[in-house]
Amino acid sequence: MSPRSFPRLFMLLHLTAALVAAVPVSSSSAGGVNSTSQPIDATFARRLPQALIIGAKKSGTRALLAFICMHPDVQAPGPEVHFFDRNYHRGLDWYRKRMPASLPSQLTMEKTPGYFISESAPSRVHSMNPDTRLVLVVRDPVTRILSDYAQASANAAGGSSRRRNRRNRRRKNRRKHRRRQAGRRGSSIKPIESLAFRSRPGNGSQPELLEVSANWTAVRIGEYARHLANWLAVFPRQQILVLSGERLVADPGAVMEELQRFLGLELIITGRHFYFDRRKGFHCLKKAGRRGKPRCLAGNKGRRHPNLAPELIRRLRQFYAPKNREFYAMTGVNFGWPEL
Ligand code: A3P
């Protein structure tokens, strides 16, 4: 039975599985799809991914995966597998076992934003399969830094939401206590100003200069042109879909249509699958069927960003302006990120 023959029925069943697979809503869902049990039968088997969401971190990679997983012809593991950047030595068979079982008609996808900035990943992906379709979602690199910092400080203060969900009440209370103690001692992560900038001492007539810390990973990730060049050295441009994270937030239906076309999928996920959730401040998935519940992404998506003085924001924008223009030229897409 092909899922294409029963799109509605299959979609209802699949929607539940997809949310479990791709949205870290609860502890039980986070790792549920990754068991390494054997294939159920010869046609329903674990397969290497034919498409990857390679990055960029904090640009909407989870939303993109969660939304495309609503498609009946897509399967993906929930957690990031980090095969091409951290686990390559484990071999392709290890990687394949991390994939959920799929039908031959389905597309297996994986997302690990770390791939985008890994220098080894492009050739490794190519040697797995030179036809792998690559998806890159990017957002204004300055906002991306703020988002990255918000995540790092949340993690430093007590762990990611997935970990939080996994722990029992007793451990939760203990952590709350530790967090209170840490709060008393002061922040557990350096202020963003001192991570994103460093001062260069002035000489005589020249005052001290504040310059962007280009080596800080959060700054480095936003140098999109530099990382994309590594991928374009190995893959043709048309094999890489570059999407706007800002557009994904504003109009997920339109972005999903673009993604489905690129992946050669039947156009099933459209704007009709989303509603804007005022409390969350983002689009969420509409309920599937009579008993389904509407689902928003977990609370670790859409965090409050730190405040950075307008002058420092301006300096970051100046730092990125020429790099962004280079990226627009490379991709043929003007993302229109502010330069001042
Ligand atoms: P913020 O937390 O800064 O708002 P990633 O999944 O790559 O870590 O990206 C996280 C970002 O996804 C969030 O960054 C948020 O802006 C964006 N995003 C896009 N669509 C979203 C949605 N429907 N719900 C929640 N976050 C979404």
Side-chain angles (χ1 to χ4, degrees), residues 55-64 67 80 111 113 137 139 143-144 146-148 150-151 245 248-250 252 274 280-285 296-305:
K57 186 183 177 199
K58 303 316 296 172
S59 298
T61 56
R62 175 58 62 185
L64 206 57
F67 299 162
E80 293 169 8
K111 84 113 178 162
V137 55
R139 82 197 278 191
T143 341
R144 204 215 64 79
L146 302 179
S147 176
D148 209 333
Q151 172 170 286
L248 176 64
V249 169
F274 302 96
K280 176 82 181 167
F282 285 95
H283 284 89
C284 300
L285 298 169
C296 297
L297 258 57
N300 60 352
K301 305 294 167 188
R303 287 191 181 100
R304 262 180 74 122
H305 291 176

Side-chain angles (χ1 to χ4, degrees), residues 122 227-238 240 330-331:
H227 307 301
L228 184 62
N230 294 332
W231 289 88
L232 289 176
V234 178
F235 288 95
R237 171 69 186 89
Q238 66 271 21
I240 310 176
M330 261 172 146
T331 55

Side-chain angles (χ1 to χ4, degrees), residues 116 221-232 322-328 330:
F116 183 48
I221 293 173
E223 291 191 39
Y224 299 141
R226 174 173 150 191
H227 307 301
L228 184 62
N230 294 332
W231 289 88
L232 289 176
K323 302 174 198 302
N324 287 345
R325 275 181 243 135
E326 195 188 340
F327 183 65
Y328 301 165
M330 261 172 146

Side-chain angles (χ1 to χ4, degrees), residues 15 18-19 23 63 66-70 252 256 269-270 272-277 282-288 293-297:
L15 176 57
L19 286 164
V23 187
F67 299 162
I68 197 62
C69 274
M70 288 168 64
M256 294 319 291
I269 314 300
T270 65
R272 285 180 297 116
H273 290 89
F274 302 96
Y275 74 97
F276 186 78
D277 188 286
F282 285 95
H283 284 89
C284 300
L285 298 169
K286 279 185 190 164
K287 63 179 186 170
K293 285 189 190 149
R295 292 294 178 98
C296 297
L297 258 57

